[in-house]
Amino acid sequence: MKEVVMKKYLFFLNLFLFLLTRLNFSFGAMKEFCLRRLKKNPLDYHARFLLAGFYRSQGDNTAAIREYNFLIQQGHKNPIIVYGLAMATFKEGMIDDSHLYFKMFLDMDRNNKVALDHLGRINLIKENYSKAISFFERSLALDPSSPLISENIAYCYYKTGNFESAYKSYQQAFVLNPSPDLEEKLNSVRRAIEMSQEEGDSIKKDQKERT
């Protein structure tokens, strides 16, 4: 699957660069070229695919989503299109749609780090912290040197009240990136652990006195 996706990606990248070269590196001219092709044949896959990629590269995610959805409706549900939809919908704040497309893309490429990271972030936004941790940990296994992933895991643990695990993950992030921000977060979690222990000791003391 990865080899097929890479071949298709390289083909369209080369086609994209070829068109830019022939059109004097004008993005506007390339857009017009695609639109003319689509006017003659609305089902021209290559023109619509390049147009969707053009819109996404220019930050016009709404237009990119429209073109990608047209391709999906025509039965072209390949990994590159699904990935494009996942990214474009995420940037537009369409979290539920992005979640759907990233899961679909992950089914096509089980160890895609970008998909794992985004699914972790989406579940974090939805406050599904356990699911977020699961995706972030899979991503961390692919890239153990990423302080950001460890920090995201720590934050999720912190939000679930698992301060010990949060502290360990923040420590891991701090070793990779000894920043003042992470140091402050470590201190904050340490205080939370101490307060939790003091509260636990107080409860035990009260229970002992009552008996």
Side-chain angles (χ1 to χ4, degrees):
M1 176 61 74
K2 287 184 179 180
E3 291 182 2
V4 173
V5 172
M6 184 56 68
K7 286 180 180 178
K8 287 184 177 180
Y9 174 78
L10 290 174
F11 168 77
F12 285 113
L13 177 62
N14 289 330
L15 179 59
F16 183 81
L17 293 174
F18 170 76
L19 289 173
L20 284 179
T21 303
R22 291 294 298 272
L23 298 171
N24 298 318
F25 292 92
S26 169
F27 283 97
M30 193 198 78
K31 176 184 174 182
E32 292 304 317
F33 170 82
C34 291
L35 290 172
R36 285 198 302 271
R37 290 281 301 265
L38 290 171
K39 188 174 182 179
K40 292 179 181 178
N41 178 16
L43 300 180
D44 186 327
Y45 170 82
H46 299 99
R48 195 169 296 278
F49 178 88
L50 287 172
L51 186 62
F54 166 79
Y55 283 135
R56 195 161 77 84
S57 71
Q58 297 299 297
D60 190 350
N61 291 301
T62 301
I65 291 167
R66 182 186 66 238
E67 301 303 333
Y68 281 133
N69 275 327
F70 186 94
L71 291 170
I72 290 277
Q73 291 167 7
Q74 296 302 311
H76 302 293
K77 193 184 288 186
N78 64 54
I80 301 173
I81 292 173
V82 173
Y83 176 81
L85 267 171
M87 290 298 295
T89 50
F90 183 84
K91 289 183 178 180
E92 285 298 296
M94 301 165 64
I95 299 303
D96 289 336
D97 291 313
S98 185
H99 185 243
L100 173 67
Y101 291 124
F102 270 119
K103 284 189 69 176
M104 193 183 299
F105 181 68
L106 197 62
D107 287 338
M108 299 172 176
D109 186 354
R110 296 296 300 172
N111 291 315
N112 187 278
K113 186 180 179 302
V114 175
L116 291 168
D117 284 342
H118 279 79
L119 284 168
R121 291 169 65 184
I122 288 169
N123 278 285
L124 188 154
I125 291 169
K126 290 185 170 188
E127 299 183 358
N128 295 328
Y129 298 116
S130 295
K131 288 184 179 180
I133 290 169
S134 176
F135 285 115
F136 283 137
E137 286 183 339
R138 287 175 62 186
S139 178
L140 187 64
L142 297 172
D143 183 14
S145 63
S146 171
L148 179 58
I149 302 173
S150 293
E151 185 177 352
N152 285 335
I153 292 172
Y155 176 81
C156 291
Y157 276 128
Y158 182 81
K159 295 297 287 186
T160 61
N162 189 341
F163 301 135
E164 296 286 349
S165 293
Y167 188 77
K168 289 178 182 178
S169 292
Y170 274 130
Q171 276 186 316
Q172 185 175 355
F174 185 76
V175 168
L176 296 167
N177 178 31
S179 67
D181 179 60
L182 282 173
E183 185 176 12
E184 175 56 34
K185 289 176 180 176
L186 269 171
N187 292 333
S188 177
V189 176
R190 187 185 297 112
R191 288 193 294 270
I193 292 172
E194 291 171 353
M195 289 177 62
S196 178
Q197 289 174 342
E198 289 173 0
E199 184 178 349
D201 292 341
S202 177
I203 292 172
K204 288 179 181 178
K205 182 179 178 181
D206 289 344
Q207 289 174 341
K208 186 176 181 179
E209 289 176 351
R210 288 176 184 176
T211 57

